Amino acid sequence: MKPSSRLEKIPPYLFAQLEQKISAKKAQGIDVISLGIGDPDTPTPDLVIDALADAAREPGTHQYPSNRGRQELREAVASFYQRRFGVDLDPASEVIPALGAKECIFNLNLAFLDPGDAALAADPGYPVYTGGPLLVGAEPVLMPLLPERGFAPDLDAIADADRERARIMYLNYPNNPTGAIAPDGLFEQAVEFARAHDILVVHDASYTETTFDGYVAPSFLATPGAKEVGVEVFSLSKGYNMTGWRTAAIVGNADAVNHYWRLKSNIDSGMFEAVQLAQAAALTEQGDQVARDMSAIYQRRRDLVVDALREIGVDVTPPKGSIYVWAPVPEGHTSASYADLVLEESAVVVSPGGAFGRSGEGFFRISLTVPDERLTEAVERLRSSLGG
Ligand SMILES: Cc1ncc(COP(=O)(O)O)c(C=O)c1O
């Protein structure tokens, strides 16, 4: 059966080969530890589960929700943004729930890109920034994120032709996969750039609540002028251990939020209202504490991994945010050959940087989302098998 030419444009899944090797090892009875995917291992906090259970018993939550979202949720997002980021949002026009950041980011491509348009996408970056534009007949234009620039894109290097056809720019800090935090001045520069070229800035705030060493991540919307040109997609997946719940919100520019709503009301019927009320419970001060406690757990795990990598000769910079450690592969290896070596020698899975885009080549990514004892075991294996 032939799929659409649109679907044919999506590049092959780059982890496929690695996954086959992992399956083969597991079939041989080898205990493989995966530090590949970023999916929190710790359960969703009780305050969220209790709110869901209570709301699910309310028949008023059982019918079709509206894509605008319940008032309680829109207000909870707005007061979270004020308390946490000092950003004012109008709950009536500047906040809408989304079924996860992934859904929202993909649909923003449908809402804002026509064939021939371009989206400026971080490289390396979350795959939907490039796959989304391709699926709607537009084109991703890669913005390399390089260590020498603190993993900030060089907006001055974007070609004139690309500036003219770009309709969206994707930014994401704290960043997946590099763990970088928002470089000084980048958000201000993005606002100027977007104004000059009539571009919608989409800031993916999937990791703002997971930060270390006292660093507190800002919202893009706290940048002067940001609301005129941009939106932020705030996800609860990582910061609140809610990947399975599909909870996020799009906030910011009222026109953009409204276009997203118009599109969404033609695509799906919104988020189960009991889940909306559970999401609202996560965004209270009690929820802020949960996110801080999780950050402390990831910081401890980060230190464990960074120490071990340094001991085996990998020169790694400890990240100040996200749930990942991004490290250079030792000389003589590609990211794929190093991931293979680590799997062969240690039965530990790391993600090859090249899978996140051309500029990710030369790096590998470790996810901190495995229980402490498994992470300790993985680190011991790296030390003993690759320690030299
Ligand atoms: C940068 C980034 N954006 C979005 C997502 C997906 O978030 P959600 O679970 O809210 O769809 C991820 C998940 O790994 C991510 O790393």
Side-chain angles (χ1 to χ4, degrees):
M1 198 177 293
K2 192 176 161 353
S4 68
S5 49
R6 202 174 301 124
L7 191 52
E8 298 274 19
K9 281 195 200 142
I10 297 293
Y13 184 54
L14 284 162
F15 289 103
Q17 225 187 352
L18 188 61
E19 272 182 1
Q20 275 171 6
K21 288 181 187 156
I22 296 165
S23 301
K25 287 245 172 283
K26 285 185 176 164
Q28 290 164 34
I30 297 172
D31 171 31
V32 177
I33 303 178
S34 178
L35 309 180
I37 191 163
D39 192 352
D41 55 300
T42 315
T44 302
D46 282 344
L47 90 139
V48 178
I49 295 172
D50 292 345
L52 174 75
D54 290 346
R57 287 200 186 85
E58 283 294 326
T61 63
H62 296 175
Q63 291 177 291
Y64 282 125
S66 92
N67 289 91
R68 285 253 177 238
R70 281 180 72 124
Q71 179 83 2
E72 295 95 322
L73 174 56
R74 285 185 277 114
E75 282 175 2
V77 172
S79 49
F80 170 80
Y81 258 73
Q82 175 48 243
R83 179 176 77 246
R84 170 65 183 82
F85 299 118
V87 168
D88 286 328
L89 294 172
D90 171 15
S93 62
E94 296 178 335
V95 180
I96 285 196
L99 299 170
K102 186 177 194 177
E103 172 270 295
C104 185
I105 291 164
F106 172 73
N107 280 318
L108 287 171
N109 293 291
L110 263 184
F112 289 95
L113 299 180
D114 283 316
D117 290 343
L120 301 168
D123 163 34
Y126 184 57
V128 184
Y129 309 149
T130 48
L134 288 173
L135 280 172
V136 304
E139 203 192 315
V141 169
L142 300 181
M143 303 186 292
L145 304 188
L146 303 175
E148 54 271 29
R149 292 184 50 84
F151 298 105
D154 184 357
L155 304 190
D156 294 334
I158 297 168
D160 286 347
D162 291 334
R163 292 169 187 229
E164 291 322 310
R165 63 200 182 104
R167 314 290 319 130
I168 294 182
M169 175 193 287
Y170 290 113
L171 295 176
N172 160 229
Y173 294 96
N175 181 260
N176 174 21
T178 68
I181 57 173
D184 281 348
L186 173 65
F187 286 169
E188 289 78 1
Q189 210 196 347
V191 169
E192 282 313 304
F193 190 91
R195 268 196 193 126
H197 302 289
D198 195 16
I199 289 170
L200 176 73
V201 177
V202 176
H203 182 241
D204 178 346
S206 287
Y207 297 96
T208 50
E209 303 319 292
T210 309
T211 54
F212 315 130
D213 308 327
Y215 173 73
V216 179
S219 161
F220 168 68
L221 297 176
T223 312
K227 226 199 263 180
E228 288 161 36
V229 296
V231 289
E232 186 152 86
V233 184
F234 181 84
S235 169
L236 284 86
S237 284
K238 315 293 171 137
Y240 302 82
N241 305 329
M242 290 177 69
T243 46
W245 294 63
R246 314 314 301 133
T247 45
I250 176 171
V251 299
N253 185 278
D255 270 353
V257 168
N258 194 51
H259 291 318
Y260 169 78
W261 166 77
R262 202 148 57 89
L263 174 80
K264 279 273 285 180
S265 56
N266 285 286
I267 292 183
D268 64 54
S269 298
M271 182 188 287
F272 178 26
E273 290 195 6
V275 173
Q276 293 189 41
L277 294 171
Q279 178 174 352
L283 294 173
T284 55
E285 283 180 45
Q286 231 184 318
D288 298 351
Q289 187 57 44
V290 169
R292 277 197 293 271
D293 293 347
M294 284 311 304
S295 287
I297 292 174
Y298 290 125
Q299 181 174 323
R300 199 177 62 231
R301 292 179 182 177
R302 174 204 66 174
D303 291 343
L304 204 67
V305 167
V306 165
D307 287 350
L309 289 178
R310 285 181 171 162
E311 271 177 47
I312 63 170
V314 175
D315 176 22
V316 56
T317 308
K320 288 213 182 302
S322 87
I323 52 177
Y324 308 109
V325 172
W326 183 245
V329 299
E331 201 131 327
H333 279 285
T334 64
S335 63
S337 74
Y338 192 64
D340 272 355
L341 178 80
V342 173
L343 180 62
E344 280 312 314
E345 301 290 320
S346 322
V348 169
V349 178
V350 299
S351 302
F356 300 97
R358 207 183 299 148
S359 301
E361 189 42 58
F363 290 86
F364 64 101
R365 191 191 79 173
I366 283 182
S367 167
L368 303 172
T369 52
V370 291
D372 286 17
E373 53 299 350
R374 291 295 276 167
L375 193 65
T376 307
E377 160 77 20
V379 154
E380 285 312 319
R381 288 189 199 175
L382 294 178
R383 273 201 185 96
S384 61
S385 57
L386 298 167

